[in-house]
Amino acid sequence: MDMISIRDIRKVYHIGTEKVVALGRISLSVAQGEICCILGTSGSGKSTLLNVMAGLERPSRGSVIIGGTDVTKYSEKQWALFRQKNIGFIFQSYNLLPTMTAVENVALPLAFRGVAKELRTGKAVKMLRAVRLGDRLLHRPTQMSGGQQQRVGIARAFVARPKLIFADEPTGNLDSKTGQEVMDLMVAMARKYGETLIIVTHDPEIAKYAERIITIHDGCKVSDESNPAAAGKKEEPES
C-alpha cells in the first residue's frame, strides 16, 4: 500500500515577468513503512518537492494523495489539521521552542491533538529515554548540543506515531560523527515503529541510509533506485 503518491506534480513560480519552473511533472509513490531519500544538489527542486508533498506549498498542477486521501484541494485549515494528525517533521535547524524543556518540546504534537497533560508528558518522557536523553528531560535547547537537540527533534516527530515523517537535511548542522549517530537513531526508530520516512538531502552518504533513493535534478526526477544494502537491514516493526 502506498503511503504517499504524487501524480504529475508541476510547480511554477512567477517572478515579475519571469516564469521559473521549480518542478516539472514529477510522479512517484512511497510505500507504507518505506524509508526513502530524495537526493539533489542545491537548487534541484528537492525542498520544493518536500513542501508540496507536505502541503506547505500548493502545486501549480497535479495531485498529492496521502493514505488514500487526495489532499490537493485542501484549504490551509484542513491541511494544518491533517498535518497535526498524520505528519511529523525533523528539521535541519531543529526548530525547538527555546523557552520550553525537552519534555515540553516533545509533548507539543500531543498537546495539539488534545491529549491530557499527564499522558502527553509520560509519552514524551518515554520517547526521550528511547533516544537516550533520559538525563536531559528538563534541559532547554540552549543547554544541549546540536546532536542532542536533533534527538529531541526526532523524539518530537515520532511521539504521536504519525503515518508519515519528513526529515529535511536532518544532519545539515551536525559534524559527520554526530550526523551518523543521528541517522542511525532516526532510521532505527522508523523501522521500530513501521513509519514511512522520507529524507531530503544533498549528501549521497546520508542517502545510503534509505532503502530507495530518488534523485532530483533541475526540477525533474532523473533516477529512482532501490538500495539493497539498507533494505536488507529492515526489521519487523512494533505494533
Side-chain angles (χ1 to χ4, degrees):
M1 175 183 173
D2 290 334
M3 176 51 62
I4 182 167
S5 178
I6 63 172
R7 301 172 182 171
D8 290 326
I9 287 293
R10 180 175 170 86
K11 180 64 179 179
V12 179
Y13 295 102
H14 295 275
I15 304 173
T17 58
E18 295 284 325
K19 183 171 77 171
V20 178
V21 179
L23 298 173
R25 298 193 67 175
I26 294 180
S27 296
L28 61 89
S29 296
V30 179
Q32 182 176 348
E34 186 173 19
I35 298 174
C36 178
C37 177
I38 297 173
L39 176 66
T41 57
S42 178
S44 64
K46 64 184 185 301
S47 294
T48 302
L49 180 58
L50 180 151
N51 288 341
V52 169
M53 294 170 81
L56 302 174
E57 292 188 52
R58 292 188 180 278
S60 301
R61 62 166 293 172
S63 59
V64 178
I65 299 167
I66 300 177
T69 301
D70 188 341
V71 294
T72 313
K73 304 301 182 183
Y74 272 7
S75 67
E76 293 298 326
K77 184 176 180 180
Q78 286 173 316
W79 249 120
L81 290 172
F82 186 85
R83 278 193 295 269
Q84 285 179 16
K85 294 179 180 179
N86 298 284
I87 299 177
F89 291 93
I90 300 168
F91 303 95
Q92 176 178 347
S93 56
Y94 322 131
N95 282 26
L96 304 178
L97 294 179
T99 59
M100 289 188 169
T101 65
V103 168
E104 291 168 337
N105 268 287
V106 173
L108 266 181
L110 298 172
F112 291 141
R113 293 189 183 193
V115 177
K117 184 176 181 180
E118 184 176 349
L119 180 57
R120 68 178 185 254
T121 297
K123 287 179 177 290
V125 169
K126 182 178 179 181
M127 191 59 69
L128 283 165
R129 287 174 176 159
V131 298
R132 304 190 298 275
L133 287 176
D135 59 343
R136 296 288 188 274
L137 300 178
L138 301 181
H139 284 58
R140 289 180 169 78
T142 54
Q143 298 171 304
M144 293 183 283
S145 68
Q148 289 169 341
Q149 289 184 66
Q150 193 59 296
R151 280 191 272 159
V152 174
I154 291 169
R156 179 183 58 190
F158 282 93
V159 71
R161 300 289 292 273
K163 296 178 180 178
L164 177 62
I165 293 176
F166 291 104
D168 187 8
E169 297 282 7
T171 64
N173 287 347
L174 305 174
D175 62 74
S176 58
K177 181 177 182 296
T178 305
Q180 181 178 337
E181 292 171 353
V182 163
M183 288 303 301
D184 286 340
L185 179 60
M186 184 171 64
V187 170
M189 294 281 283
R191 289 185 174 133
K192 179 179 180 180
Y193 296 119
E195 304 282 5
T196 304
L197 173 62
I198 299 178
I199 304 161
V200 176
T201 184
H202 69 282
D203 188 344
E205 292 301 311
I206 297 303
K208 291 178 182 178
Y209 283 85
E211 300 154 3
R212 181 170 157 220
I213 303 170
I214 298 169
T215 303
I216 304 294
H217 182 70
D218 289 342
C220 297
K221 182 176 70 174
V222 296
S223 68
D224 186 341
E225 301 173 328
S226 62
N227 180 18
K233 300 175 183 178
K234 195 157 187 173
E235 300 175 2
E236 192 68 25
E238 287 188 5
S239 60

